Amino acid sequence: MIVGLVTAVAASACYGVGSVLQAVGSRRSAREEEAKRAEWGGGSAQVTGYGGPSLSSTAKAAVTWEFIVGTLLDFVGFALGALAARLLPLFLSQTIISANLVITAVLGIKLLGIKLYRADWTSIGVVCGALVLLGVAAGPEGDGHSPRATHWWVLIVTFVVIVGGTVLVRFLGANGAIVAGLLSGLGFGGLGIGVRILDGVDPFDLAKLAADPALYAVLIGGIGGMYLHTIALQIGSVNGATAALVVGETVVPGAVGVLWLGDTSRDGLAWMAVLGFVLAVSGAVAVAYFGKHEPQEPSAGSDSDSGSGSDADPVAGTGAAARG
């Protein structure tokens, strides 16, 4: 249990720092693209007909050094999170990992110019207290054994969420940030469930692992979730997008773990586990709600890479016209 808790906290830290760095890189790329568009005049290839980010703008954001470092931290977080999902009940591991929103909000003070108020800090305190309740109440995780049909269902649902979600978000354009964040969270939730039920892990059997549909659910959920989260960071508040992700990656895996995978709480502490889970998710959403107001005007010399919020910067997929 202790190893699992430490692993989950480390994964949360990696994801939290990575999200902020990715947001910084995305926004710097968007500012540069907007500057080029203003210099040369005319339209911009960074915006689709629906007002959302183009594949080109997303690719350009992904090659900034901040985004690359953030992505590397995501990969480390992915590995640590996968281990935590094998060592802890999903309602605990996924909730601890989702607490990266707290790290995102706090780091955003410096790197994204976000100001936190009393309500923000209260919400952060609720999340931290809820995690303590969950840690105390969590019992042993399930053994992860499940029928092969379950593995196929996890793959199918994850595929539909990622592919269908990508199409939907592109139609929604500049209004799709929360949807993109939620769908990315569902993708990461599919990843967590897939990791838990993977065959061929213990003992290791490469042939058995490669033949397991859950492995491909893990890959699709991880890669697709990162892509949708990147879009969400480009077109909306980093806190809002990450909070939607929190809901997607905690509620569904937590329910699946309890209902189908044998995750349990300690005897007599089920109420505490439920209370902690509800408070953690509610607190994360509150962090997003109260922290959605980012700087409205860039400070003098706003060409710097930090201190700019989503409303101050023309992020990919959101020009002034797109905001309406």
Side-chain angles (χ1 to χ4, degrees):
M1 177 71 77
I2 298 299
V3 174
L5 288 172
V6 172
T7 302
V9 170
S12 180
C14 288
Y15 280 134
V17 176
S19 290
V20 174
L21 288 177
Q22 287 169 335
V24 171
S26 295
R27 294 175 180 190
R28 181 165 68 85
S29 173
R31 287 198 301 273
E32 292 172 353
E33 286 294 300
E34 186 68 12
K36 290 178 182 178
R37 186 194 67 80
E39 180 180 353
W40 293 99
S44 174
Q46 69 175 336
V47 180
T48 68
Y50 299 99
S54 66
L55 289 174
S56 173
S57 69
T58 302
K60 289 177 181 177
V63 296
T64 60
W65 74 263
E66 298 97 336
F67 198 96
I68 291 172
V69 173
T71 301
L72 290 175
L73 286 173
D74 276 346
F75 280 118
V76 175
F78 165 78
L80 293 171
L83 179 58
R86 302 284 298 192
L87 298 175
L88 297 172
L90 285 176
F91 69 80
L92 178 58
S93 66
Q94 295 300 107
T95 306
I96 292 176
I97 292 171
S98 72
N100 68 77
L101 176 61
V102 171
I103 299 171
T104 298
V106 173
L107 284 180
I109 296 173
K110 176 64 177 178
L111 297 181
L112 297 175
I114 299 171
K115 185 175 181 180
L116 299 183
Y117 298 92
R118 181 178 298 175
D120 302 292
W121 290 112
T122 300
S123 301
I124 289 173
V126 168
V127 173
C128 293
L131 293 179
V132 173
L133 292 179
L134 277 172
V136 171
E141 73 280 5
D143 57 18
H145 293 307
S146 59
R148 179 48 63 104
T150 302
H151 297 227
W152 279 107
W153 274 113
V154 172
L155 172 59
I156 292 169
V157 172
T158 302
F159 179 83
V160 170
V161 165
I162 296 300
V163 175
T166 299
V167 175
L168 175 62
V169 168
R170 295 187 70 78
F171 274 95
L172 290 175
N175 298 315
I178 299 300
V179 174
L182 177 62
L183 292 170
S184 67
L186 291 175
F188 290 131
L191 181 156
I193 296 170
V195 166
R196 167 62 72 78
I197 63 177
L198 269 178
D199 292 331
V201 174
D202 186 18
F204 182 75
D205 185 330
L206 181 59
K208 196 173 183 180
L209 181 65
D212 190 349
L215 173 64
Y216 304 99
V218 169
L219 296 176
I220 293 172
I223 296 172
M226 289 179 64
Y227 173 72
L228 286 171
H229 192 211
T230 300
I231 291 179
L233 291 176
Q234 287 182 285
I235 62 179
S237 163
V238 61
N239 284 352
T242 307
L245 183 151
V246 164
V247 174
E249 75 172 345
T250 54
V251 175
V252 173
V256 169
V258 171
L259 295 176
W260 286 291
L261 302 181
D263 291 346
T264 61
S265 61
R266 296 181 188 274
D267 290 340
L269 294 181
W271 66 270
M272 185 181 292
V274 172
L275 177 62
F277 185 82
V278 171
L279 286 176
V281 175
S282 301
V285 173
V287 170
Y289 177 80
F290 293 117
K292 65 184 179 182
H293 303 294
E294 300 182 16
Q296 298 296 312
E297 298 293 338
S299 58
S302 62
D303 288 338
S304 63
D305 294 343
S306 62
S308 55
S310 62
D311 290 331
D313 297 326
V315 294
T318 54
R323 289 186 180 278

